[in-house]
Amino acid sequence: MFIVQVGALLIALIYYANAQTSVVAVNTTIPGSELSASGLRQLAAAVVPQSPVFHPSLRSQFSLNLLSAFPEDLEVSDYCVALLAIFGQRYSTYVNCLVSAARPVKVCQNCYGTYGNLMEIYKNISDQMGPGNVSCRDSLLRSDRLMLVFLLYSNMEDIWTASECNRCVSLRDHSLTNDTLYFMETLNQSLSCFEKYQKQGNHSELCTECKATYRGLNELYSRMEKNHTLCIDIEDSMNMTRILWSKDFNCSFPRAETVPVIAVSSFMLFLPIIFYLSSFLHSEQKKRKLIHPKRAKSNPSFINIQDKFS
Protein backbone atom coordinates (compact mmCIF):
# COMPACT_ATOMS: atom_id res chain seq x y z
CA MET A 1 0.00 0.00 0.00
CA PHE A 2 2.84 2.37 0.84
CA ILE A 3 4.58 1.67 -2.49
CA VAL A 4 1.38 2.49 -4.40
CA GLN A 5 0.99 5.82 -2.56
CA VAL A 6 4.62 6.77 -3.27
CA GLY A 7 4.19 5.90 -6.95
CA ALA A 8 1.06 8.03 -7.22
CA LEU A 9 2.86 10.96 -5.58
CA LEU A 10 5.79 10.69 -8.04
CA ILE A 11 3.43 10.63 -11.03
CA ALA A 12 1.65 13.76 -9.73
CA LEU A 13 4.98 15.59 -9.29
CA ILE A 14 6.10 14.68 -12.82
CA TYR A 15 2.77 15.91 -14.26
CA TYR A 16 3.02 19.17 -12.33
CA ALA A 17 6.65 19.73 -13.50
CA ASN A 18 5.67 19.18 -17.15
CA ALA A 19 2.79 21.64 -16.83
CA GLN A 20 5.04 24.32 -15.32
CA THR A 21 7.61 23.76 -18.07
CA SER A 22 4.94 24.23 -20.74
CA VAL A 23 3.74 27.45 -19.16
CA VAL A 24 7.25 28.85 -18.99
CA ALA A 25 7.89 27.86 -22.59
CA VAL A 26 4.79 29.69 -23.75
CA ASN A 27 5.61 32.80 -21.77
CA THR A 28 9.15 32.97 -23.13
CA THR A 29 8.08 32.74 -26.75
CA ILE A 30 5.75 35.73 -26.61
CA PRO A 31 7.40 39.13 -26.59
CA GLY A 32 5.92 42.13 -24.86
CA SER A 33 3.73 42.54 -21.81
CA GLU A 34 0.47 41.38 -23.44
CA LEU A 35 -0.29 37.92 -24.82
CA SER A 36 -1.57 37.51 -28.36
CA ALA A 37 -4.58 35.35 -29.31
CA SER A 38 -2.35 32.49 -30.44
CA GLY A 39 -0.44 32.70 -27.20
CA LEU A 40 -3.66 32.49 -25.16
CA ARG A 41 -4.66 29.37 -27.08
CA GLN A 42 -1.29 27.75 -26.42
CA LEU A 43 -1.48 28.70 -22.72
CA ALA A 44 -4.97 27.27 -22.37
CA ALA A 45 -3.90 24.06 -24.09
CA ALA A 46 -0.88 23.72 -21.79
CA VAL A 47 -2.58 24.50 -18.44
CA VAL A 48 -6.21 23.42 -18.77
CA PRO A 49 -6.69 19.61 -18.71
CA GLN A 50 -8.28 18.27 -21.83
CA SER A 51 -11.88 17.15 -21.33
CA PRO A 52 -13.04 14.02 -23.16
CA VAL A 53 -16.53 15.54 -23.50
CA PHE A 54 -16.23 19.29 -23.97
CA HIS A 55 -13.74 20.62 -26.53
CA PRO A 56 -14.11 24.39 -26.98
CA SER A 57 -13.55 25.60 -30.50
CA LEU A 58 -10.52 27.86 -30.72
CA ARG A 59 -11.85 29.46 -33.90
CA SER A 60 -15.18 30.47 -32.30
CA GLN A 61 -15.51 34.22 -31.74
CA PHE A 62 -18.71 33.89 -29.58
CA SER A 63 -18.85 33.82 -25.82
CA LEU A 64 -20.60 31.00 -23.97
CA ASN A 65 -22.76 33.62 -22.26
CA LEU A 66 -24.65 34.06 -25.51
CA LEU A 67 -26.25 30.69 -24.92
CA SER A 68 -28.58 32.37 -22.39
CA ALA A 69 -30.16 34.54 -25.08
CA PHE A 70 -33.42 33.22 -26.53
CA PRO A 71 -36.09 34.68 -28.78
CA GLU A 72 -38.37 37.21 -27.18
CA ASP A 73 -41.41 34.96 -27.33
CA LEU A 74 -39.63 32.39 -25.14
CA GLU A 75 -38.24 34.79 -22.54
CA VAL A 76 -39.92 35.55 -19.19
CA SER A 77 -41.71 38.89 -19.07
CA ASP A 78 -40.46 41.71 -16.89
CA TYR A 79 -43.57 41.41 -14.73
CA CYS A 80 -42.85 37.73 -13.99
CA VAL A 81 -39.18 38.47 -13.32
CA ALA A 82 -40.23 41.06 -10.75
CA LEU A 83 -42.59 38.57 -9.06
CA LEU A 84 -39.82 35.97 -9.00
CA ALA A 85 -37.47 38.42 -7.29
CA ILE A 86 -40.11 39.21 -4.63
CA PHE A 87 -40.72 35.50 -4.13
CA GLY A 88 -37.00 34.94 -3.52
CA GLN A 89 -36.83 37.72 -0.94
CA ARG A 90 -39.88 36.53 0.99
CA TYR A 91 -38.76 32.91 0.78
CA SER A 92 -35.40 33.83 2.30
CA THR A 93 -37.10 35.85 5.05
CA TYR A 94 -39.39 32.96 5.97
CA VAL A 95 -36.54 30.43 6.05
CA ASN A 96 -34.50 32.71 8.33
CA CYS A 97 -37.50 33.02 10.64
CA LEU A 98 -37.92 29.22 10.78
CA VAL A 99 -34.27 28.73 11.70
CA SER A 100 -34.38 31.30 14.49
CA ALA A 101 -37.63 29.79 15.85
CA ALA A 102 -36.42 26.18 15.80
CA ARG A 103 -35.55 25.90 19.52
CA PRO A 104 -37.57 26.56 21.53
CA VAL A 105 -40.23 25.96 18.90
CA LYS A 106 -42.05 29.20 18.06
CA VAL A 107 -42.65 28.57 14.40
CA CYS A 108 -46.34 29.48 14.39
CA GLN A 109 -46.33 32.52 16.66
CA ASN A 110 -43.17 34.11 15.22
CA CYS A 111 -43.36 33.23 11.52
CA TYR A 112 -47.01 33.44 10.56
CA GLY A 113 -46.48 36.93 9.12
CA THR A 114 -43.61 35.91 6.84
CA TYR A 115 -45.48 32.77 5.79
CA GLY A 116 -48.53 34.85 4.90
CA ASN A 117 -46.39 37.13 2.73
CA LEU A 118 -44.83 34.14 0.97
CA MET A 119 -48.25 32.60 0.35
CA GLU A 120 -49.52 35.90 -1.05
CA ILE A 121 -46.75 36.28 -3.63
CA TYR A 122 -47.08 32.63 -4.65
CA LYS A 123 -50.79 33.15 -5.29
CA ASN A 124 -49.91 36.15 -7.43
CA ILE A 125 -47.59 33.96 -9.49
CA SER A 126 -49.99 31.03 -9.83
CA ASP A 127 -53.40 32.72 -10.06
CA GLN A 128 -53.19 36.45 -10.74
CA MET A 129 -53.02 38.03 -14.18
CA GLY A 130 -50.49 40.81 -14.75
CA PRO A 131 -50.54 43.81 -17.07
CA GLY A 132 -51.67 42.89 -20.54
CA ASN A 133 -53.20 39.63 -19.24
CA VAL A 134 -49.76 38.20 -18.57
CA SER A 135 -49.79 34.96 -16.54
CA CYS A 136 -46.62 33.76 -14.81
CA ARG A 137 -47.93 30.30 -13.98
CA ASP A 138 -46.60 28.56 -17.05
CA SER A 139 -43.34 30.46 -17.35
CA LEU A 140 -42.32 30.21 -13.67
CA LEU A 141 -44.05 27.07 -12.39
CA ARG A 142 -44.40 24.66 -15.33
CA SER A 143 -41.72 25.53 -17.84
CA ASP A 144 -39.26 22.77 -16.86
CA ARG A 145 -39.15 19.31 -15.33
CA LEU A 146 -37.76 20.50 -11.96
CA MET A 147 -40.42 23.17 -11.34
CA LEU A 148 -38.16 24.76 -8.76
CA VAL A 149 -40.48 27.56 -7.60
CA PHE A 150 -43.32 25.11 -7.03
CA LEU A 151 -40.97 22.71 -5.23
CA LEU A 152 -39.61 25.42 -2.91
CA TYR A 153 -43.07 26.62 -1.96
CA SER A 154 -44.35 23.07 -1.44
CA ASN A 155 -41.55 22.38 1.05
CA MET A 156 -42.42 25.45 3.08
CA GLU A 157 -46.11 24.59 2.94
CA ASP A 158 -45.35 21.07 4.21
CA ILE A 159 -43.51 22.52 7.21
CA TRP A 160 -46.47 24.78 8.00
CA THR A 161 -48.90 21.87 7.68
CA ALA A 162 -46.80 19.48 9.79
CA SER A 163 -46.59 22.13 12.51
CA GLU A 164 -50.42 22.41 12.47
CA CYS A 165 -50.07 26.16 12.72
CA ASN A 166 -53.55 26.69 11.28
CA ARG A 167 -54.92 25.58 14.66
CA CYS A 168 -53.14 28.43 16.44
CA VAL A 169 -53.03 31.15 13.80
CA SER A 170 -55.69 32.96 11.82
CA LEU A 171 -53.98 33.99 8.59
CA ARG A 172 -57.07 35.90 7.54
CA ASP A 173 -56.89 38.09 10.65
CA HIS A 174 -53.08 38.04 10.77
CA SER A 175 -53.08 37.12 14.45
CA LEU A 176 -53.02 34.24 16.92
CA THR A 177 -56.31 32.63 17.94
CA ASN A 178 -57.96 33.45 21.26
CA ASP A 179 -57.31 29.94 22.60
CA THR A 180 -53.62 30.27 21.84
CA LEU A 181 -53.38 33.67 23.49
CA TYR A 182 -55.16 32.38 26.59
CA PHE A 183 -52.84 29.38 26.81
CA MET A 184 -49.78 31.62 26.50
CA GLU A 185 -51.10 33.80 29.31
CA THR A 186 -51.70 30.79 31.56
CA LEU A 187 -48.27 29.41 30.70
CA ASN A 188 -46.61 32.69 31.61
CA GLN A 189 -48.31 32.59 35.02
CA SER A 190 -46.85 29.16 35.76
CA LEU A 191 -43.40 30.13 34.51
CA SER A 192 -43.46 33.32 36.59
CA CYS A 193 -44.32 31.27 39.67
CA PHE A 194 -41.48 28.86 38.90
CA GLU A 195 -39.03 31.71 38.50
CA LYS A 196 -40.14 33.39 41.72
CA TYR A 197 -39.56 30.40 44.00
CA GLN A 198 -36.64 29.02 42.02
CA LYS A 199 -34.57 32.04 42.99
CA GLN A 200 -35.18 31.21 46.64
CA GLY A 201 -33.77 27.73 46.11
CA ASN A 202 -36.69 26.06 47.93
CA HIS A 203 -38.23 23.56 45.53
CA SER A 204 -40.63 22.15 48.10
CA GLU A 205 -42.22 25.57 48.51
CA LEU A 206 -42.30 25.90 44.72
CA CYS A 207 -44.21 22.62 44.43
CA THR A 208 -46.74 23.84 46.99
CA GLU A 209 -47.25 27.41 45.85
CA CYS A 210 -47.23 26.74 42.09
CA LYS A 211 -49.37 23.63 42.25
CA ALA A 212 -52.65 25.42 41.51
CA THR A 213 -51.39 27.34 38.47
CA TYR A 214 -49.64 24.28 37.06
CA ARG A 215 -52.76 22.14 37.54
CA GLY A 216 -54.83 24.74 35.72
CA LEU A 217 -52.32 24.75 32.86
CA ASN A 218 -52.55 20.97 32.53
CA GLU A 219 -56.33 21.05 32.53
CA LEU A 220 -56.36 23.76 29.85
CA TYR A 221 -53.95 21.73 27.72
CA SER A 222 -56.15 18.64 28.03
CA ARG A 223 -59.21 20.59 26.89
CA MET A 224 -57.34 22.04 23.91
CA GLU A 225 -56.13 18.57 23.00
CA LYS A 226 -59.70 17.28 22.91
CA ASN A 227 -60.82 20.29 20.86
CA HIS A 228 -57.95 19.88 18.36
CA THR A 229 -56.61 23.40 18.91
CA LEU A 230 -52.98 22.47 19.57
CA CYS A 231 -50.06 23.39 17.35
CA ILE A 232 -46.37 22.58 17.63
CA ASP A 233 -45.65 25.73 19.67
CA ILE A 234 -48.12 24.78 22.41
CA GLU A 235 -47.06 21.12 22.43
CA ASP A 236 -43.38 21.97 22.79
CA SER A 237 -43.94 24.61 25.48
CA MET A 238 -46.09 22.19 27.50
CA ASN A 239 -43.49 19.44 27.22
CA MET A 240 -40.77 21.79 28.44
CA THR A 241 -42.95 22.93 31.35
CA ARG A 242 -43.64 19.35 32.41
CA ILE A 243 -39.92 18.59 32.30
CA LEU A 244 -39.27 21.56 34.58
CA TRP A 245 -41.99 20.49 37.01
CA SER A 246 -41.15 16.80 37.30
CA LYS A 247 -37.46 16.51 36.46
CA ASP A 248 -35.83 19.80 37.47
CA PHE A 249 -38.05 20.69 40.44
CA ASN A 250 -38.98 17.09 41.35
CA CYS A 251 -42.61 18.03 41.90
CA SER A 252 -45.65 15.81 41.39
CA PHE A 253 -49.34 15.63 42.12
CA PRO A 254 -51.95 12.93 41.48
CA ARG A 255 -53.92 13.58 38.36
CA ALA A 256 -57.70 13.51 38.58
CA GLU A 257 -58.13 10.66 36.13
CA THR A 258 -55.92 8.37 38.26
CA VAL A 259 -58.45 8.22 41.13
CA PRO A 260 -60.97 5.97 39.32
CA VAL A 261 -58.12 3.77 38.09
CA ILE A 262 -56.84 3.28 41.63
CA ALA A 263 -60.35 2.52 42.91
CA VAL A 264 -61.03 -0.10 40.24
CA SER A 265 -57.60 -1.67 40.73
CA SER A 266 -58.13 -1.92 44.49
CA PHE A 267 -61.53 -3.55 43.99
CA MET A 268 -60.08 -6.11 41.58
CA LEU A 269 -57.28 -6.82 44.03
CA PHE A 270 -59.61 -7.60 46.93
CA LEU A 271 -62.20 -9.42 44.82
CA PRO A 272 -60.58 -12.91 45.23
CA ILE A 273 -60.34 -12.40 49.00
CA ILE A 274 -64.01 -11.46 49.18
CA PHE A 275 -64.96 -14.48 47.07
CA TYR A 276 -63.11 -17.02 49.20
CA LEU A 277 -64.31 -15.47 52.45
CA SER A 278 -67.95 -15.60 51.36
CA SER A 279 -67.53 -19.22 50.21
CA PHE A 280 -66.09 -20.20 53.58
CA LEU A 281 -68.91 -18.55 55.54
CA HIS A 282 -71.53 -20.15 53.33
CA SER A 283 -70.10 -23.65 53.83
CA GLU A 284 -70.05 -23.22 57.63
CA GLN A 285 -73.68 -22.22 57.61
CA LYS A 286 -74.60 -25.38 55.68
CA LYS A 287 -72.89 -27.58 58.26
CA ARG A 288 -75.02 -26.13 61.01
CA LYS A 289 -78.26 -26.80 59.14
CA LEU A 290 -77.72 -30.57 58.55
CA ILE A 291 -80.95 -32.59 58.97
CA HIS A 292 -80.58 -35.50 61.44
CA PRO A 293 -82.53 -38.71 60.51
CA LYS A 294 -85.48 -39.66 62.82
CA ARG A 295 -85.49 -43.02 64.67
CA ALA A 296 -88.10 -45.64 63.65
CA LYS A 297 -91.00 -46.07 66.16
CA SER A 298 -91.31 -49.43 67.96
CA ASN A 299 -94.11 -51.69 66.67
CA PRO A 300 -95.84 -54.16 69.23
CA SER A 301 -96.38 -56.80 66.58
CA PHE A 302 -92.74 -56.74 65.65
CA ILE A 303 -91.81 -57.20 69.30
CA ASN A 304 -94.12 -60.21 69.69
CA ILE A 305 -92.57 -61.91 66.68
CA GLN A 306 -89.12 -61.47 68.20
CA ASP A 307 -90.34 -63.03 71.49
CA LYS A 308 -91.70 -66.08 69.72
CA PHE A 309 -88.43 -66.78 67.96
CA SER A 310 -86.51 -66.30 71.13
Side-chain angles (χ1 to χ4, degrees):
M1 185 66 182
F2 177 77
I3 296 175
V4 174
Q5 293 178 353
V6 173
L9 179 60
L10 290 176
I11 294 173
L13 291 175
I14 294 172
Y15 179 82
Y16 179 78
N18 292 334
Q20 293 295 329
T21 303
S22 300
V23 173
V24 173
V26 171
N27 288 335
T28 55
T29 57
I30 300 176
S33 59
E34 296 182 356
L35 296 176
S36 62
S38 60
L40 287 174
R41 296 189 187 99
Q42 295 176 1
L43 182 61
V47 177
V48 179
Q50 297 297 323
S51 173
V53 178
F54 177 71
H55 298 281
S57 176
L58 297 179
R59 296 182 180 180
S60 176
Q61 301 297 326
F62 298 97
S63 171
L64 293 177
N65 293 331
L66 294 180
L67 295 177
S68 61
F70 294 98
E72 293 183 359
D73 56 342
L74 296 179
E75 290 182 348
V76 181
S77 64
D78 294 338
Y79 172 75
C80 296
V81 171
L83 288 183
L84 185 62
I86 298 174
F87 176 84
Q89 294 174 356
R90 295 186 179 182
Y91 184 90
S92 177
T93 303
Y94 180 56
V95 171
N96 291 333
C97 182
L98 290 179
V99 173
S100 61
R103 293 302 309 162
V105 181
K106 295 182 180 180
V107 171
C108 302
Q109 53 185 318
N110 288 0
C111 303
Y112 68 88
T114 55
Y115 177 75
N117 294 334
L118 180 65
M119 185 172 60
E120 179 183 4
I121 190 63
Y122 183 81
K123 286 184 177 180
N124 290 337
I125 294 175
S126 59
D127 299 335
Q128 300 295 330
M129 300 294 294
N133 293 329
V134 175
S135 176
C136 302
R137 177 189 301 175
D138 295 333
S139 59
L140 297 182
L141 302 182
R142 303 177 180 177
S143 60
D144 54 80
R145 177 179 61 83
L146 183 59
M147 299 189 297
L148 184 59
V149 176
F150 172 78
L151 184 63
L152 291 173
Y153 180 77
S154 298
N155 291 336
M156 296 300 101
E157 191 176 32
D158 291 342
I159 294 175
W160 182 266
T161 304
S163 303
E164 295 180 329
C165 291
N166 289 333
R167 296 181 175 182
C168 297
V169 176
S170 175
L171 293 176
R172 183 184 59 183
D173 300 332
H174 302 285
S175 63
L176 299 174
T177 61
N178 294 331
D179 293 338
T180 303
L181 293 174
Y182 182 69
F183 177 85
M184 294 300 177
E185 181 181 357
T186 307
L187 175 64
N188 290 332
Q189 293 177 1
S190 297
L191 295 179
S192 298
C193 185
F194 292 169
E195 184 179 2
K196 176 182 177 180
Y197 292 97
Q198 186 181 9
K199 293 180 180 179
Q200 301 177 4
N202 189 353
H203 288 178
S204 60
E205 187 177 2
L206 183 149
C207 297
T208 303
E209 297 297 330
C210 302
K211 182 178 180 179
T213 56
Y214 180 72
R215 185 191 296 272
L217 180 65
N218 271 279
E219 293 175 353
L220 175 61
Y221 183 84
S222 299
R223 291 196 300 269
M224 295 181 67
E225 187 176 14
K226 294 179 181 178
N227 297 333
H228 303 287
T229 55
L230 295 179
C231 61
I232 187 62
D233 293 15
I234 297 178
E235 294 175 3
D236 184 74
S237 60
M238 192 65 210
N239 290 336
M240 297 299 296
T241 307
R242 286 174 174 173
I243 291 175
L244 285 175
W245 176 263
S246 59
K247 185 176 180 180
D248 293 359
F249 304 144
N250 198 22
C251 300
S252 62
F253 64 91
R255 302 178 65 178
E257 58 266 21
T258 59
V259 176
V261 175
I262 295 175
V264 173
S265 301
S266 301
F267 175 76
M268 297 299 294
L269 179 64
F270 287 100
L271 186 61
I273 300 175
I274 297 174
F275 173 76
Y276 286 113
L277 182 61
S278 61
S279 299
F280 175 76
L281 295 177
H282 187 65
S283 62
E284 289 293 331
Q285 188 177 7
K286 279 188 174 182
K287 290 180 181 179
R288 294 176 182 177
K289 292 183 177 181
L290 288 177
I291 300 175
H292 298 282
K294 297 181 179 180
R295 294 181 179 179
K297 296 181 179 180
S298 57
N299 195 344
S301 60
F302 180 73
I303 297 174
N304 295 330
I305 295 172
Q306 289 180 348
D307 291 339
K308 293 179 179 179
F309 284 102
S310 58

